[in-house]
């Protein structure tokens, strides 16, 4: 396959293995540009992109903005707190107004699940979901897969354990869809109260003991404990959570020797992951950040670098 | 649109002769190969550049650096094309600054690929000069560009197709002219 025949990137649930492959292959070519002295190619010259972030973000926002600059597109960024959202304007109105100014692609992060689908249906611009509520974060899933693929040379038949707060995690959802489509075996682990009610839909095994989940794993992915999304009573205390479910060197001894340790960031050090692991030789946390730019450059090219039918 | 074979303008032997001659011309023009680097344009410029590197090495006993250039992101027709070209990796693992860069491609036609290649190269460094070597020059330039080294000039009409085949990709070394005929 040569072309991504879609207007938007909303989630990995609706994406095929073939499409994911094309994105990863394209990202590999983009990574070379990031290593140049002059990190800029003219491919998206004259195309305009809007970054619309209704939730805080450091890495994803910086990563998208850099990808846009490296591809020579023009972009504007609007943060939720400084925008008309606080004046009560609806999402649809906001984006339609900016679209008429010439925006061809909208990158959006929003606290409500499904918001990017809603937006995509209502505007002509391409929409890239940069995280919608507890639903999906497809570019994070893609950059995680790209990082593993670069390190291991494949995704097929790798065992990946996703550990922590699966319930509130859009990163976990995107990875669950994506990795399984690419032929990896995925297991999840964490307290039963932090498992999503629809876990069966993913067809993955669930463990409550971390040591059992990481047994024979090629990759362990720690998730951020999302303090801002916790209803009370899902677990007794941060300290107890760290004691029982935090990733530590002792807890991963049954994993494969060439284990990769991943975390989408930002990390709560000493809670879901120990500093020893986060900064250790198995950690690819920083590679994940670098992969993010390459993957987003690839997506911008595939969505905007040509004519829309 | 069907294609009819019109003529074969190069075979394995004449292709080798042409490339060997170009190798000698590169040495003569640059008074040696000390500061020369080769850049093959994907796709068929790459095996041609590798062969030139081999011939130059036979003559000068010195392996000239070879890089690979993908010009997709520098094309001027992306916005018009319905079929989006695949992006491949550019691999130029050396500094171009103050080098005499010889760009190699299979066919020189409108000159737009070479324009894109020059833009791409200048983003990678500041060469002392850029030269162009092509296996076939078929005319019909749309930009003020000419080749420094030409394997063969093949006057062609716009309705014709010049098809270069190389062993490394197509399992044969030959250049054919095909005519487009309406069915």
């Amino acid at each position: 396959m040569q072309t991504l025949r879609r207007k938007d990137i909303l989630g990995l649930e609706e994406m095929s293995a073939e499409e994911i492959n094309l994105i990863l292959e394209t990202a590999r070519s983009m990574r070379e540009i990031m290593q140049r002295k002059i990190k800029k190619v003219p491919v998206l010259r004259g195309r305009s992109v809007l970054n619309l972030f209704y939730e805080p973000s450091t890495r994803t926002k910086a990563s998208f903005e850099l990808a846009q600059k490296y591809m020579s597109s023009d972009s504007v960024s609007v943060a939720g707190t400084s925008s008309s959202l606080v004046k009560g304007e609806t999402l649809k109105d906001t984006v339609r107004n900016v679209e008429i100014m010439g925006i061809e692609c909208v990158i959006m992060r929003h606290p409500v699940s499904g918001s990017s689908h809603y937006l995509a249906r209502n505007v002509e611009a391409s929409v890239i979901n940069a995280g919608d509520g507890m639903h999906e974060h497809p570019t994070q899933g893609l950059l995680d897969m790209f990082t593993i693929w670069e390190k291991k040379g494949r995704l097929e038949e790798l065992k990946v354990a996703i550990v922590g707060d699966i319930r509130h995690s859009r990163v976990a959802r995107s990875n669950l869809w994506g990795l399984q489509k690419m032929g990896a075996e995925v297991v999840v682990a964490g307290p039963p109260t932090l498992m999503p009610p629809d876990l069966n839909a993913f067809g993955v095994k669930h463990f409550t003991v971390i040591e059992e989940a990481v047994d024979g794993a090629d990759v362990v992915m720690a998730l951020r404990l999302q303090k801002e999304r916790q209803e009370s009573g899902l677990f007794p205390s941060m300290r107890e959570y760290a004691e029982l479910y935090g990733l530590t060197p002792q807890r991963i001894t049954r994993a494969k020797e060439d284990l990769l340790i991943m975390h989408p960031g930002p990390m709560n050090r000493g809670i879901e992951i120990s500093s020893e692991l986060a900064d250790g030789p198995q950690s690819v946390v920083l590679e994940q950040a670098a992969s993010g730019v390459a993957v987003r450059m690839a997506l911008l090219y595939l969505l905007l670098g040509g004519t829309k039918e | 649109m069907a294609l009819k074979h019109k003529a074969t303008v190069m075979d394995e032997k004449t292709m080798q002769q042409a490339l060997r001659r170009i190798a000698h011309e590169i040495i003569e023009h640059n008074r040696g190969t000390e500061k020369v680097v080769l850049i093959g344009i994907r796709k068929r410029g790459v095996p041609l550049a590798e062969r030139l590197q081999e011939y130059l090495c036979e003559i000068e006993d010195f392996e000239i650096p070879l890089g690979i250039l993908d010009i997709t992101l520098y094309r001027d027709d992306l916005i018009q094309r319905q079929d989006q070209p695949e992006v491949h990796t550019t691999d130029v693992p050396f500094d171009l600054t103050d080098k005499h860069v010889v760009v190699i491609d299979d066919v020189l036609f409108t000159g737009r690929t070479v324009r894109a290649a020059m833009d791409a190269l200048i983003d990678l460094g500041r060469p002392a000069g850029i030269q162009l070597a092509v296996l076939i020059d078929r005319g019909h330039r749309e930009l003020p560009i000419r080749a420094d080294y030409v394997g063969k000039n093949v006057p062609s009409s716009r309705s014709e197709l010049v098809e270069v085949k190389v062993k490394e990709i197509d399992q044969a070394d030959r250049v054919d002219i095909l005519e487009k005929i309406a069915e």
Side-chain angles (χ1 to χ4, degrees):
Chain A
M1 186 174 55
Q2 247 198 350
T3 333
L4 208 55
R5 298 201 185 282
R6 51 171 73 241
K7 170 170 122 15
D8 314 291
I9 306 289
L10 304 176
L12 299 189
E13 181 179 0
E14 55 260 37
M15 208 172 263
S16 69
E18 212 186 2
E19 287 176 292
I20 293 171
N21 241 324
L22 174 70
I23 296 165
L24 300 185
E25 292 279 359
T26 308
R28 182 178 275 175
S29 304
M30 296 301 175
R31 211 193 34 184
E32 180 266 329
I33 296 163
M34 294 165 61
Q35 290 153 358
R36 295 182 189 173
K37 265 187 221 152
I38 300 175
K39 299 179 221 353
K40 198 178 261 302
V41 289
V43 63
L44 297 184
R45 209 158 48 99
R47 316 301 294 268
S48 306
V49 181
L50 168 70
N51 299 301
L52 195 53
F53 280 71
Y54 289 113
E55 271 187 347
S57 166
T58 307
R59 169 179 11 245
T60 305
K61 190 158 172 277
S63 174
F64 266 116
E65 287 181 5
L66 282 173
Q68 288 150 15
K69 289 181 199 299
Y70 294 168
M71 304 295 274
S72 300
S73 61
D74 294 304
S75 56
V76 281
S77 297
V78 175
T81 48
S82 66
S83 72
S84 296
L85 185 79
V86 293
K87 297 182 191 163
E89 190 182 39
T90 68
L91 179 58
K92 194 160 106 182
D93 282 338
T94 305
V95 176
R96 280 199 171 158
N97 274 281
V98 190
E99 199 175 21
I100 205 82
M101 299 181 201
I103 291 289
E104 292 161 276
C105 179
V106 182
I107 318 289
M108 185 173 74
R109 167 166 292 187
H110 197 281
V112 177
S113 303
S115 49
S116 51
H117 283 77
Y118 167 79
L119 183 63
R121 278 195 306 272
N122 284 289
V123 297
E124 270 177 50
S126 286
V127 175
I128 302 181
N129 179 4
D132 62 327
M134 301 191 287
H135 175 238
E136 278 220 47
H137 188 353
T139 60
Q140 178 74 40
L142 288 165
L143 76 86
D144 288 338
M145 287 193 277
F146 182 72
T147 308
I148 300 171
W149 186 58
E150 287 273 293
K151 289 275 168 190
K152 300 277 183 198
R154 68 193 162 100
L155 292 166
E156 267 174 339
E157 284 161 30
L158 291 179
K159 182 179 171 183
V160 182
I162 305 180
V163 178
D165 180 3
I166 313 285
R167 180 178 187 151
H168 298 99
S169 176
R170 52 198 178 206
V171 176
R173 264 167 236 273
S174 286
N175 269 300
L176 279 165
W177 290 121
L179 282 164
Q180 295 198 97
K181 280 182 188 179
M182 300 306 282
E185 182 202 345
V186 187
V187 299
V188 296
T193 48
L194 293 181
M195 288 299 133
D198 61 337
L199 189 62
N200 285 337
F202 296 97
V204 291
K205 264 195 213 156
H206 165 224
F207 294 87
T208 45
V209 178
I210 307 297
E211 287 87 338
E212 285 172 17
V214 304
D215 190 18
D218 299 278
V219 179
V220 173
M221 210 177 267
L223 297 174
R224 185 171 68 88
L225 190 63
Q226 303 193 30
K227 297 171 197 159
E228 75 275 23
R229 284 188 230 276
Q230 302 298 348
E231 307 129 46
S232 59
L234 290 175
F235 56 92
S237 70
M238 287 288 182
R239 198 167 134 204
E240 189 168 330
Y241 181 88
E243 286 285 322
L244 287 170
Y245 302 103
L247 284 181
T248 58
Q250 297 74 34
R251 208 154 254 162
I252 56 156
T253 50
R254 280 157 71 182
K256 291 216 179 111
E257 215 165 287
D258 59 349
L259 174 76
L260 299 182
I261 293 174
M262 305 178 75
H263 192 298
M267 292 188 278
N268 297 308
R269 286 170 181 265
I271 298 177
E272 72 264 3
I273 188 165
S274 72
S275 277
E276 208 176 338
L277 283 186
D279 305 325
Q282 295 165 311
S283 166
V284 289
V285 171
L286 292 176
E287 279 93 333
Q288 284 173 270
S291 301
V293 181
V295 162
R296 289 167 181 129
M297 287 168 79
L299 289 173
L300 288 169
Y301 171 71
L302 292 168
L303 287 185
L304 293 179
T307 308
K308 269 187 210 153
E309 277 119 292
Chain B
M1 188 82 75
L3 292 172
K4 198 182 91 191
H5 184 264
K6 195 180 165 198
T8 299
V9 293
M10 213 177 244
D11 60 14
E12 191 179 335
K13 198 175 157 211
T14 46
M15 191 182 288
Q16 199 190 59
Q17 283 168 345
L19 288 171
R20 282 190 184 278
R21 174 173 52 74
I22 290 175
H24 282 282
E25 286 173 4
I26 289 173
I27 294 166
E28 195 184 351
H29 185 88
N30 294 288
R31 297 192 182 85
T33 51
E34 203 194 330
K35 285 198 156 181
V36 174
V37 299
L38 303 177
I39 298 284
I41 300 181
R42 277 189 201 276
K43 187 169 172 188
R44 285 178 181 72
V46 177
L48 295 176
E50 285 165 354
R51 289 190 209 179
L52 274 178
Q53 184 190 38
E54 192 190 316
Y55 298 150
L56 286 163
C57 192
E58 279 172 23
I59 305 164
E60 291 280 276
D61 200 25
F62 172 72
E63 184 152 307
I64 295 173
L66 171 74
I68 296 172
L69 199 64
D70 184 86
I71 57 118
T72 312
L73 300 173
Y74 291 84
R75 300 182 71 107
D76 60 6
D77 59 353
L78 280 173
I79 213 98
Q80 283 109 29
R81 283 173 67 118
Q82 288 293 321
D83 57 323
Q84 186 181 46
E86 236 170 292
V87 186
H88 293 282
T89 309
T90 286
D91 183 17
V92 180
F94 45 82
D95 190 6
L96 294 177
T97 307
D98 295 331
K99 293 285 166 27
H100 295 284
V101 178
V102 181
V103 175
I104 297 122
D105 204 3
D106 54 353
V107 180
L108 177 58
F109 184 23
T110 59
R112 287 178 192 266
T113 300
V114 177
R115 196 281 311 162
M118 288 196 287
D119 275 359
L121 283 175
I122 285 160
D123 277 355
L124 295 176
R126 188 178 184 280
I130 299 177
Q131 300 160 25
L132 175 64
V134 295
L135 189 62
I136 302 291
D137 181 350
R138 64 167 294 188
H140 304 286
R141 218 76 77 234
E142 291 167 3
L143 297 171
I145 280 170
R146 59 160 184 82
D148 299 272
Y149 315 101
V150 179
K152 192 178 170 89
N153 282 297
V154 179
S156 62
S157 99
R158 273 185 178 273
S159 66
E160 289 165 344
L161 218 96
V162 176
E163 187 184 61
V164 173
K165 286 186 172 163
V166 291
K167 272 190 182 145
E168 295 88 334
I169 297 166
D170 316 290
Q171 283 74 49
D173 279 344
R174 58 186 290 165
V175 180
D176 293 304
I177 297 186
L178 309 172
E179 203 170 0
K180 292 179 199 164
I181 46 169
E183 273 165 289

